[in-house]
Amino acid sequence: MKTPTYIEKLVNWHEITDAAVSAFSDSAQIPEKYIRTEEVLDGVVVGEDERYELPVIDMCRLLDPEFSAMEIQKLGAACRNWGFFQLTNHGVEEAVIKEMKDSTVQFFSLPLESKRIVSVRDNGFEGFGHHYSRANDKLDWAESVILLTQPVEARNMEMWPRDPPTFKNALDKYSVETRNLAFQLLSFMAADLGIEKEALQGAFTGKRQSMAIHYYPPCRQPEKKVIGITPHTDGLGLTLLLHVDDTPGLQIRKDGRWFPVRPLPGAFVINIAGILDVLTNGAYRSVEHRVIPDTERGRTTVVLFQEADVEGMVTPLPELLMKVGGQPRYRSIELDEYVKGNFRALADGTRFIDSLKI
Ligand SMILES: O=C(O)CCC(=O)C(=O)O
């Protein structure tokens, strides 16, 4: 199956070379193209000494009639104020998660030539490599694989790793479980927004899901400032992130400061992406985040992106506007145009949904 044309030529991919692998393996010599001093120093990082709590939502409480209303309120506050939360007791089968984690670790442990069998090709967006920013041609301190996972007919199986042999099955199952989890969460978000769950879920039904797996090697020279993922906001609908290990690194920008996420064992990190921000007419916020590599330990994550639209448009949900009698805060735009604009903005380091604000 051909790569969807809407992303062609828009994602900047860079091949992982032997030189990158050797820089990653001991970080003794860090090539100039990875050094991002200004970006790393932009904004204060909240330190260990400051007490702060990123929201934690408990799925068991969402499902328990006794606590559900309270937990839904907490969920709504997390989506409005932070755009991020950790989700505990999510109910995704442990065996599915384990197989996905193991397969991801095994893939990244392969020699470069084995990983390069699924290197990104020509103008495609799926496969192995690392992305870079068009604005300054700088590289992230990471290697990644991006794949389209749903709908099943849209999968480009040539780009799915064959090694380890468990990978395809693991991702297939994981993709279904995470989609189901996303839909369950959307029903509680709808309750918080005061609309029928079908209105919100409907925007996600049958839509694309894609996956990124990332490996961030340690960077043993902290004074050489490198970035695991350049600051960005996610463009699609809802993002579900799984920490494969307990290495921290993800930071969320709030009120001009970076808040490090302390991964809770077994939890997902969920965040609001641009389309959901627009669907909720700005009630839920898609928030900037970045990854700073650890100085000692590598970090691996599995990230799932659920896309959404309303009859091909990225637009505030009519049900929501009717309910609050509010004015749309964003102008409507066709999904394909939105995705193109979003990728262009990502490469330029800007935020596309800001350009849709009325
Ligand atoms: O790996 C992470 O912690 C963040 C990944 C991310 O932001 C992304 O894939 O867009």
Side-chain angles (χ1 to χ4, degrees), residues 22-23 31 47 50 58 73 76 82 86 109 121 136 149 239 259 317 325:
S22 100
E50 185 173 336
D58 183 340
Q73 213 175 36
W82 285 91
Q86 298 203 61
S109 321
R121 290 176 201 159
N136 55 14
T149 45
T239 306
F259 287 79
L317 279 174

Side-chain angles (χ1 to χ4, degrees), residues 241-299:
L241 181 146
L242 176 71
H243 280 99
V244 171
D245 42 54
D246 58 2
T247 309
L250 178 61
Q251 300 182 347
I252 302 168
R253 177 118 80 176
K254 190 171 193 302
D255 305 326
R257 298 196 300 163
W258 293 105
F259 287 79
V261 175
R262 298 163 187 146
L264 292 175
F268 277 99
V269 177
I270 312 284
N271 68 286
I272 307 299
I275 297 179
L276 188 51
D277 185 326
V278 175
L279 289 174
T280 62
N281 201 28
Y284 288 1
R285 293 170 50 214
S286 79
V287 167
E288 200 178 14
H289 51 284
R290 68 178 186 179
V291 172
I292 299 294
D294 195 72
T295 49
E296 299 297 328
R297 292 175 295 163
R299 175 169 182 267

Side-chain angles (χ1 to χ4, degrees), residues 53-352:
E53 281 183 26
L54 298 183
V56 178
I57 304 298
D58 183 340
M59 181 61 91
C60 281
R61 285 174 69 92
L62 284 172
L63 293 167
D64 183 333
E66 194 181 337
F67 300 109
S68 191
M70 222 187 318
E71 203 66 8
I72 288 172
Q73 213 175 36
K74 238 175 107 184
L75 170 70
C79 297
R80 286 164 215 275
N81 301 330
W82 285 91
F84 267 86
F85 58 91
Q86 298 203 61
L87 181 71
T88 56
N89 296 317
H90 43 71
V92 174
E93 243 184 83
E94 196 41 53
V96 173
I97 292 188
K98 183 173 178 334
E99 198 181 20
M100 188 71 242
K101 283 186 177 181
D102 291 350
S103 302
T104 304
V105 169
Q106 283 168 34
F107 175 80
F108 283 124
S109 321
L110 292 171
L112 180 60
E113 63 271 23
S114 307
K115 291 185 272 195
R116 283 176 68 169
I117 293 173
V118 290
S119 273
V120 178
R121 290 176 201 159
D122 306 324
N123 292 323
F125 91 104
E126 292 182 85
F128 171 72
H130 46 195
H131 3 206
Y132 71 101
S133 146
R134 191 185 296 163
N136 55 14
D137 281 354
K138 289 283 187 176
L139 296 176
D140 289 345
W141 189 257
E143 42 186 87
S144 308
V145 178
I146 293 187
L147 295 172
L148 197 62
T149 45
Q150 300 281 351
V152 174
E153 324 71 84
R155 290 179 181 173
N156 181 355
M157 296 312 291
E158 263 178 62
M159 301 309 293
W160 284 43
R162 281 163 283 266
D163 199 359
T166 51
F167 193 94
K168 286 183 186 161
N169 187 45
L171 180 52
D172 189 34
K173 288 199 214 132
Y174 186 74
S175 148
V176 173
E177 290 267 344
T178 44
R179 187 189 52 192
N180 293 344
L181 178 61
F183 274 75
Q184 205 175 15
L185 275 172
L186 289 167
S187 73
F188 294 113
M189 289 176 182
D192 165 66
L193 293 162
I195 55 175
E196 295 296 325
K197 67 176 182 193
E198 290 75 15
L200 191 56
Q201 287 178 334
F204 287 78
T205 303
K207 306 298 159 57
R208 285 179 286 230
Q209 180 200 57
S210 43
M211 179 219 62
I213 52 177
H214 304 291
Y215 170 62
Y216 308 96
C219 179
R220 298 181 208 283
Q221 295 191 63
E223 69 288 356
K224 298 265 184 215
K225 308 239 173 271
V226 303
I227 284 190
I229 275 202
T230 303
H232 66 285
T233 52
D234 291 348
L236 302 177
L238 189 66
T239 306
L240 297 87
L241 181 146
L242 176 71
H243 280 99
V244 171
D245 42 54
D246 58 2
T247 309
L250 178 61
Q251 300 182 347
I252 302 168
R253 177 118 80 176
K254 190 171 193 302
D255 305 326
R257 298 196 300 163
W258 293 105
F259 287 79
V261 175
R262 298 163 187 146
L264 292 175
F268 277 99
V269 177
I270 312 284
N271 68 286
I272 307 299
I275 297 179
L276 188 51
D277 185 326
V278 175
L279 289 174
T280 62
N281 201 28
Y284 288 1
R285 293 170 50 214
S286 79
V287 167
E288 200 178 14
H289 51 284
R290 68 178 186 179
V291 172
I292 299 294
D294 195 72
T295 49
E296 299 297 328
R297 292 175 295 163
R299 175 169 182 267
T300 305
T301 55
V302 180
V303 193
L304 266 292
F305 307 98
Q306 293 288 151
E307 204 173 292
D309 64 77
V310 180
E311 294 171 11
M313 302 297 289
V314 174
T315 181
L317 279 174
E319 293 81 352
L320 199 62
L321 292 182
M322 262 177 334
K323 179 165 171 58
V324 294
Q327 292 298 313
R329 290 193 195 157
Y330 293 106
R331 70 182 165 82
S332 305
I333 178 171
E334 282 186 14
L335 177 67
D336 282 3
E337 286 308 307
Y338 172 91
V339 174
K340 278 188 212 157
N342 196 65
F343 275 105
R344 255 184 242 117
L346 262 185
D348 296 341
T350 56
R351 208 172 109 92
F352 184 64

